[in-house]
Amino acid sequence: MRLRFSIRLQLLVLSLFFFAIPYLGYNYVWELEQYLRTGQEQTMIGTARAVATALHERPALFDSESAYLKDVRPGTDLYAPPIPYPIQLDGELNDWQQIDDLLTHYGASEIVERFTNLHTNDENKGAASENRGTASVDKAISLSFEHMVGRYDQFLYAMFNVTDDALLWRQANSLSVERGDHLLIGMQTPAGNLARYVVAPYESGWVNAFKLAESGSAYRAVENALSIQGRWQETATGYNIELRFPLSMTSGALAFAIVDVDDPVTRQKRYAIGTANTNNIDELGTVVTPSPEIERILAGLKYADSRVWVIDNHKRVLARAGDIQTASGLNTAKREASENPVWQWVETHWLLPLYYHILTKPPADFVDELEDAYALAGRDIGLALNGQPDSLWRLTPDNKAVVVSAAYPIFIEGAVMGAVVVEQTTNGIRTLRNRALEQLFHVILAVMLLGTLGLLLFASRISNRIRRLRDNTEAIIDANGKIVGKLPVAKEGDEIGDLSRAFSDVLTRLQQYNSYLENMASRLSHELRTPIAVVKSSLDALSQVSAQDSTQAKTQQPNTSQEDQANAVVQSSTQQDVFVQRAQSGISRLSSILNAMSEATRLEQAIAQEDVTTFNLIDVIKGCVGGYQHAYTDRQFALSCASDAAVLEGAPDLIAQMFDKIISNAVDFSQPDDIIDVAVYTKDKRIILTVNNPGPLLPEGMKKQLVQSMVSVRPDSEAAQSAGSPHLGLGLYIADIIVAFHQGTLALANRDDKRGVIVSVNFPKI
């Protein structure tokens, strides 16, 4: 059970590597998303390039704008963003909150004209400069205001939130328009002339402007300007002004100034604070309004799944089209419902909620910080205005969406007059990525479940087979350690099958060894019985002879001649010598049996101390064969050598001892006058020695076991008995030890003609 648990545990741990599959798949999808983002980025740059191509070398689109200004004068050059709906001229200023980020403050530092000396009471303060932006701030200057402009349709709207400590109205019956607080407007007409207007009400309410005379700085109203209309509303801190007039009245040069009148007695004008001096056409500011022509060019792009901006070279928006909320980059179809309601329920209620602990859904809505932007900023825009296309990735303020923008410059006569900016979100790519990850996770989850189940089943099968092998092994061994059966041979070709067959082979060899040990007593008894019987019979005979001699000596007749007595002594001595010789022969045979039993051990110890030399195997074999012809005169030996030299590295004495064992075995299993063939030849850098003798065939399954210790199939034949030497199954085992020392192999096989056995010894050639 411990083994089975261990294998299952190891395979279970191995199955955990399946978690590497989702990790690799997840990284692959993320890499794919990066490629898609790169493709989206390049596509957007291409879109920006295409839009910019439609705007190149078209100066008329920029003539009425500030694109040609080298420097933008903050507070003087005005930007009139588009207003989504017309301003209600009620003096409350509530409608301007949508663009209040463009609100500009004007105060003492923006005095554009002085009418009286404000420093008469303190001459040490010096004369005040009449130029805008250079006047020192005086405590007597109490006027300031906040101002912005906007465009709706073909009208320009303007608002003023004025702070004044004393509002002085124009007298109702006065013909002079400069005898109270008033607003001056200066603009350049489409014809290029300066046109001046004044708004000077005598009470809160609806107002119109008066057009002033063209020449001089006198405030002489020449006619009503009903196209300039609005409302003047008194407040707790001053007053509010809201105006509207057609854009067609000006070519783009515009200035506003508020004149403060505080003294109700003298009604003298003190100073004018405004965007620029309204009396000088060269000092007028430029009003920038989004170009209707450019907006018409961009009108078709609102269907292009992008938001497109056109900006001037001061980063102010001239036109835009499209909505970033719907600009997802890729149009992805809705997820198709599964035809299997069970699977759809599992996917909806179990799998997808699990997946989206890791994944993030593209937001249905997110904060767009540029929704009402009238000026853009960013590294990509800066590079585009320097003539180099670029792209930029950014997160929305709520960190829900990723927006990618691409900017491309607009060239007019070689100069950059603006840029086209194209924006998209990555929601489409994220949706596509999530769909891919959902399918990937489905497959990975199925693979992991099936793989884990398969591994567990495989582990169970392996552990069951190992347990069965263990049970079968334990079943064939009894409590005393005796092998009482055979292990079933497995038919499987895998490692466990090999292990089972190896166990079967080991147990068979152990069984044979146990059988050999069990038969050792009878074999030793058989081997020892004859020499012991010889010794015993010789001793008994010698004892009988001695007893007879003693009896004869007692019963010998006195008349026995000396010659007869001498003959009797000689005869008795001869018989004793025979019996002693027989006893010595039996003792010698006993000594040979004991020496044979310890020969293998002594040989292994001797090999470890043997000196290795280089010698010719053929010379050793020839010398041995010559000796065998004299030792075994009743056998014939035939030697054949393929060459005169077969050099080996080892011990020639051990080779001779090995050859003796093989020849002795061949002689024992052959008949008188049989021919024993000995051959030496080389093949594939190997030296091969073969001994071929006629005789009984090897038993099936014993070809490899005969070279093992104490394994013998020698029959108790007369030939074996006549040899007079013990046979304990150690001859071929000793020969195999010597062959292994010389890095060779020894093999036994039946001859092809089934009439004998051939022993082959294979040595490496030097």
Side-chain angles (χ1 to χ4, degrees), residues 28 48 116 124 174 371 400:
Y28 173 77
T116 60
N124 294 329
S174 175
E371 182 177 4
K400 290 184 178 180

Side-chain angles (χ1 to χ4, degrees), residues 32-76:
L32 183 61
E33 181 184 7
Q34 296 303 318
Y35 286 119
L36 291 176
R37 287 190 174 189
T38 302
Q40 182 183 19
E41 184 178 357
Q42 296 302 318
T43 301
M44 292 178 60
I45 292 177
T47 302
R49 181 189 298 112
V51 176
T53 301
L55 302 177
H56 288 327
E57 303 303 334
R58 299 182 66 177
L61 299 176
F62 298 87
D63 278 349
S64 61
E65 316 300 342
S66 67
Y68 289 102
L69 295 176
K70 292 184 178 180
D71 297 310
V72 174
R73 295 170 294 175
T76 299

Side-chain angles (χ1 to χ4, degrees), residues 388-465:
Q388 180 180 351
D390 195 22
S391 60
L392 179 69
W393 296 82
R394 73 174 190 274
L395 275 173
T396 56
D398 54 0
N399 294 333
K400 290 184 178 180
V402 178
V403 179
V404 56
S405 62
Y408 199 89
I410 300 173
F411 294 97
I412 296 178
E413 297 180 355
V416 177
M417 287 296 130
V420 176
V421 181
V422 180
E423 291 181 321
Q424 285 181 346
T425 66
T426 60
N427 289 352
I429 292 178
R430 293 171 67 183
T431 300
L432 186 63
R433 177 204 67 190
N434 289 349
R435 298 277 178 84
L437 287 176
E438 288 172 13
Q439 298 301 319
L440 178 64
F441 288 168
H442 287 346
V443 174
I444 289 174
L445 188 60
V447 169
M448 291 178 62
L449 291 177
L450 293 177
T452 303
L453 180 60
L455 285 176
L456 289 177
L457 293 176
F458 180 67
S460 298
R461 180 174 178 270
I462 291 178
S463 61
N464 290 335
R465 290 176 60 191

Side-chain angles (χ1 to χ4, degrees), residues 227-484:
S227 58
I228 300 177
Q229 52 189 229
R231 191 173 186 88
W232 189 304
Q233 183 67 41
E234 184 178 5
T235 64
T237 59
Y239 50 91
N240 295 334
I241 303 175
E242 287 183 317
L243 294 178
R244 179 187 69 184
F245 59 88
L247 282 169
S248 57
M249 293 180 63
T250 177
S251 63
L254 181 67
F256 297 97
I258 293 179
V259 179
D260 188 25
V261 177
D262 289 338
D263 192 341
V265 177
T266 63
R267 290 187 175 268
Q268 291 183 351
K269 297 179 291 183
R270 303 182 64 203
Y271 47 80
I273 297 177
T275 63
N277 191 342
T278 59
N279 298 322
N280 190 343
I281 192 172
D282 295 330
E283 296 184 14
L284 299 181
T286 302
V287 60
V288 179
T289 61
S291 171
E293 292 81 4
I294 298 178
E295 287 187 343
R296 281 193 292 270
I297 294 174
L298 299 184
L301 294 177
K302 64 183 179 180
Y303 307 106
D305 193 25
S306 300
R307 182 167 67 181
V308 183
W309 308 79
V310 176
I311 61 174
D312 63 11
N313 57 3
H314 302 295
K315 301 181 182 180
R316 293 180 292 194
V317 176
L318 300 180
R320 67 176 176 180
D323 182 13
I324 193 63
Q325 296 287 348
T326 59
S328 60
L330 289 176
N331 292 323
T332 55
K334 293 183 178 180
R335 183 186 291 105
E336 296 181 358
S338 175
E339 297 179 357
N340 188 337
V342 177
W343 168 250
Q344 183 178 0
W345 186 89
V346 171
E347 184 182 33
T348 304
H349 293 82
W350 289 90
L351 298 181
L352 294 183
L354 176 64
Y355 298 162
Y356 280 94
H357 280 87
I358 303 174
L359 306 179
T360 56
K361 290 183 179 180
D365 191 15
F366 54 88
V367 175
D368 179 20
E369 74 274 25
L370 300 180
E371 182 177 4
D372 298 318
Y374 306 108
L376 302 182
R379 178 181 54 84
D380 57 331
I381 296 176
L383 289 176
L385 294 177
N386 288 327
Q388 180 180 351
D390 195 22
S391 60
L392 179 69
W393 296 82
R394 73 174 190 274
L395 275 173
T396 56
D398 54 0
N399 294 333
K400 290 184 178 180
V402 178
V403 179
V404 56
S405 62
Y408 199 89
I410 300 173
F411 294 97
I412 296 178
E413 297 180 355
V416 177
M417 287 296 130
V420 176
V421 181
V422 180
E423 291 181 321
Q424 285 181 346
T425 66
T426 60
N427 289 352
I429 292 178
R430 293 171 67 183
T431 300
L432 186 63
R433 177 204 67 190
N434 289 349
R435 298 277 178 84
L437 287 176
E438 288 172 13
Q439 298 301 319
L440 178 64
F441 288 168
H442 287 346
V443 174
I444 289 174
L445 188 60
V447 169
M448 291 178 62
L449 291 177
L450 293 177
T452 303
L453 180 60
L455 285 176
L456 289 177
L457 293 176
F458 180 67
S460 298
R461 180 174 178 270
I462 291 178
S463 61
N464 290 335
R465 290 176 60 191
I466 295 177
R467 182 179 59 179
R468 186 167 59 251
L469 177 61
R470 181 204 62 189
D471 295 341
N472 293 336
T473 303
E474 292 178 349
I476 64 174
I477 301 176
D478 61 9
N480 297 323
K482 184 177 181 181
I483 301 175
V484 295

